[in-house]
Amino acid sequence: MTDSPSSAPAAYRVLARKYRPQSFGALIGQDAMVQTLGNAIKRGRLAHAFLMTGVRGVGKTSTARLIAKALNCIGVDGQGGPTIDPCGVCEPCMAIAEGRHIDVIEMDAASHTGVDDVREIIEAVRYAAVSARYKIYIIDEVHMLSKNAFNALLKTLEEPPAHVKFLFATTEVNKVPVTVLSRCQRFDLRRISAEKLADHFAAIVAQEGVEAEPAALKIIAQAAEGSARDGLSILDQAIAHAEMAGAEASGEARARVTADQVRDMLGLSDRGAVRRLFGLILSGDTAAVLAMLRDQHDLGVEPLSLIRGLMEIVHAVTAAKAGRRSDDPAQSVEEREALADWASELGFAPLHRLWQLLLKGHEDVVSATMPVEAAEMALLRLMHAASLPDPSELARLLQEGGGVVRAPVLSSAPAPSAAPQANAPATFEAMVDLLWKNKQSAIADEVEHRVRPVRYSAEGELLFQPAAPVGEGFVQKLKGALDQITGLRWIVTIGDGDQGETPQPTLSERAEAEAAAAIAAIRDMPVIKAALETFPDAELIGVDETAKWSASA
């Protein structure tokens, strides 16, 4: 005996369709727009055309359908008017939700781009709605209409009949003519935060009877990049993956989505693995870096994902060094501690070089026919080029007549120090030189750019004011380095000093002032003045010391 057609199971609906918002309350992350629409409906100040813009999957088309419901809802008793909370059970609400309302016309501009399609709309708007309060036209991806189609629509869009409303949706608002934008009330739908998406997904898996680790939902939310639809598609795939794995592994009746399964499914690298790789890069262990890159590739991690992970770490370290607190819910305690340690050990200059080299490596891997090999070359370039001395250190070495030492400037391990001196350097400048000579590059870089000395003593005292926020533990790290190098017990403090003691500029500020003074002096030379008057568009882009003195002689 076969089942009758009526007893056949209903066709499965993907989560992105099943959980499409059916009310403004279910529309996540767009509170400002909902409030504006609610006030407009209550006060009877309804625009004749609305434009929703934003990235994919944030709810543009859903919002357009909700507006259509809000304007045409008649309530449970059939006597209601426009409302920000449509009932969802009256005939107009149900017909609009099912896409069958005769007075709510949806059109995809990608397949109806011509002026003839718009002409049909212009002809139809003259007739009143058949059964609804308003005749509503929803045009998705409106930016794909042709120029002639836009021009044909302008007059009708500016002065449509009172019973007609236009609702436009687009992902590329910059392609919509200004003449159209000026005739619409525009709503910019924001990307949905990863935290809100994770909460939304948690509610959905509960309704679906699925168990999911919070870490797994956070990974899916981050991979969605602010798009609810993308996130639901990934969640759908993760649940299917979990059902197969769960049945084979433990026989549980309920599927369980785990973070490891999601990482495997998406080909994402473990954040801990990326941190370990970053640590190996800083330590200069070439063989270990290449081996780990190959191991991650064998596990299914894409090389581009690793490069992006390293870029995220460099950005996070730089932001932490600048004093910004991280609010990433996916960051573990261990990750935050590692970022704080690197922020205190690395200078801004090495971090900027790391970022630029990773950015170049990202471009190479994207366009490479052999991504793994391109990633290996990028990491090797990162380790060797980033470990070169800073220009200031290179100039100092050349001035002293020494060779360039290829030391791992980026290394997070303590650098070898010279034999302790009997006393402290005579001047603040000599103290900074001593830090550079003893390979304390990160500390020396921060001292040059952030320390304004108030009082300095050759007996081992430094009182200073920070020119910009210094990282946590900076004072202790500076004191420890000076103690180790000089053999003295230093007193390093932050303060204003006594009356009459004023902070001096940082060494970088002094260098900038000297360079500006040198350029000003060059500009005052008669021959340069004459040249600039003759060629007013000319620029003085640099000062060569040898040329300056020979010219002035």
Side-chain angles (χ1 to χ4, degrees), residues 66-194:
L66 290 175
I67 294 175
K69 278 187 185 181
L71 297 182
N72 284 327
C73 178
I74 58 175
V76 178
D77 58 1
Q79 304 299 317
T83 174
I84 194 64
D85 295 312
C87 66
V89 296
C90 66
E91 177 57 27
C93 284
M94 294 180 65
I96 293 171
E98 296 169 5
R100 58 179 174 80
H101 200 293
I102 192 172
D103 292 318
V104 179
I105 302 97
E106 292 194 33
M107 186 181 88
D108 178 20
S111 55
H112 299 80
T113 62
V115 69
D116 290 337
D117 300 302
V118 172
R119 188 175 290 116
E120 291 180 10
I121 297 176
I122 297 172
E123 293 294 328
V125 297
R126 296 183 298 175
Y127 303 102
V130 176
S131 62
R133 187 178 295 113
Y134 293 102
K135 178 180 285 189
I136 296 176
Y137 290 89
I138 300 175
I139 303 181
D140 202 6
E141 298 301 337
V142 69
H143 66 273
M144 301 192 74
L145 288 178
S146 66
K147 182 179 179 180
N148 290 335
F150 274 124
N151 290 336
L153 187 62
L154 284 179
K155 187 61 178 178
T156 302
L157 186 61
E158 185 170 20
E159 298 179 359
H163 61 272
V164 173
K165 303 291 181 183
F166 288 98
L167 305 177
F168 300 142
T170 179
T171 54
E172 299 184 50
V173 69
N174 57 301
K175 293 184 178 180
V176 178
V178 178
T179 51
V180 173
L181 294 177
S182 65
R183 290 166 167 83
C184 301
Q185 191 170 101
R186 172 174 168 176
F187 292 103
D188 290 85
L189 277 67
R190 303 175 57 184
R191 288 180 184 269
I192 307 170
S193 68

Side-chain angles (χ1 to χ4, degrees), residues 316 318-328 331 336 339 472:
T318 308
K321 191 171 185 66
R324 190 175 77 184
R325 292 177 58 86
S326 172
D327 57 356
D328 185 353
Q331 276 189 0
R336 289 177 181 170
L339 295 177
E472 290 185 14

Side-chain angles (χ1 to χ4, degrees), residues 51-64:
L51 174 71
M52 274 68 69
T53 179
V55 299
R56 68 196 183 281
V58 293
K60 298 183 297 297
T61 305
S62 295
T63 300

Side-chain angles (χ1 to χ4, degrees), residues 2-323:
T2 59
D3 293 335
S4 62
S6 60
S7 64
Y12 175 71
R13 284 199 302 163
V14 296
L15 297 181
R17 291 188 59 194
K18 184 176 181 180
Y19 292 96
R20 183 186 289 272
Q22 298 300 321
S23 68
F24 283 105
L27 193 65
I28 59 175
Q30 313 299 342
D31 298 339
M33 180 198 68
V34 173
Q35 181 179 354
T36 303
L37 283 172
N39 292 340
I41 291 173
K42 289 177 184 178
R43 299 166 187 171
R45 303 177 62 88
L46 291 171
H48 56 270
F50 298 88
L51 174 71
M52 274 68 69
T53 179
V55 299
R56 68 196 183 281
V58 293
K60 298 183 297 297
T61 305
S62 295
T63 300
R65 292 175 180 172
L66 290 175
I67 294 175
K69 278 187 185 181
L71 297 182
N72 284 327
C73 178
I74 58 175
V76 178
D77 58 1
Q79 304 299 317
T83 174
I84 194 64
D85 295 312
C87 66
V89 296
C90 66
E91 177 57 27
C93 284
M94 294 180 65
I96 293 171
E98 296 169 5
R100 58 179 174 80
H101 200 293
I102 192 172
D103 292 318
V104 179
I105 302 97
E106 292 194 33
M107 186 181 88
D108 178 20
S111 55
H112 299 80
T113 62
V115 69
D116 290 337
D117 300 302
V118 172
R119 188 175 290 116
E120 291 180 10
I121 297 176
I122 297 172
E123 293 294 328
V125 297
R126 296 183 298 175
Y127 303 102
V130 176
S131 62
R133 187 178 295 113
Y134 293 102
K135 178 180 285 189
I136 296 176
Y137 290 89
I138 300 175
I139 303 181
D140 202 6
E141 298 301 337
V142 69
H143 66 273
M144 301 192 74
L145 288 178
S146 66
K147 182 179 179 180
N148 290 335
F150 274 124
N151 290 336
L153 187 62
L154 284 179
K155 187 61 178 178
T156 302
L157 186 61
E158 185 170 20
E159 298 179 359
H163 61 272
V164 173
K165 303 291 181 183
F166 288 98
L167 305 177
F168 300 142
T170 179
T171 54
E172 299 184 50
V173 69
N174 57 301
K175 293 184 178 180
V176 178
V178 178
T179 51
V180 173
L181 294 177
S182 65
R183 290 166 167 83
C184 301
Q185 191 170 101
R186 172 174 168 176
F187 292 103
D188 290 85
L189 277 67
R190 303 175 57 184
R191 288 180 184 269
I192 307 170
S193 68
E195 187 175 3
K196 288 185 177 180
L197 282 176
D199 292 341
H200 182 55
F201 298 156
I204 288 176
V205 295
Q207 295 181 57
E208 291 290 310
V210 176
E211 295 181 4
E213 294 179 353
L217 298 180
K218 289 177 181 178
I219 293 172
I220 294 173
Q222 289 175 339
E225 296 182 345
S227 169
R229 184 174 63 236
D230 286 7
L232 288 173
S233 298
I234 297 172
L235 180 60
D236 225 340
Q237 184 180 356
I239 292 174
H241 183 75
E243 285 173 348
M244 291 184 291
E248 295 173 1
S250 61
E252 293 181 356
R254 300 179 67 182
R256 179 173 175 81
V257 179
T258 66
D260 290 338
Q261 290 172 341
V262 174
R263 289 191 188 99
D264 291 341
M265 181 187 75
L266 297 178
L268 296 175
S269 174
D270 182 9
R271 292 167 78 107
V274 179
R275 292 200 303 275
R276 291 192 296 273
L277 178 61
F278 188 66
L280 292 174
I281 291 172
L282 295 182
S283 66
D285 193 339
T286 305
V289 167
L290 296 180
M292 188 169 185
L293 176 62
R294 286 289 177 174
D295 290 342
Q296 289 293 302
H297 183 258
D298 292 341
L299 291 173
V301 180
E302 293 296 328
L304 194 62
S305 176
L306 277 177
I307 298 294
R308 286 175 177 169
L310 291 172
M311 293 178 73
E312 290 175 0
I313 287 181
V314 172
H315 176 266
V317 172
T318 308
K321 191 171 185 66

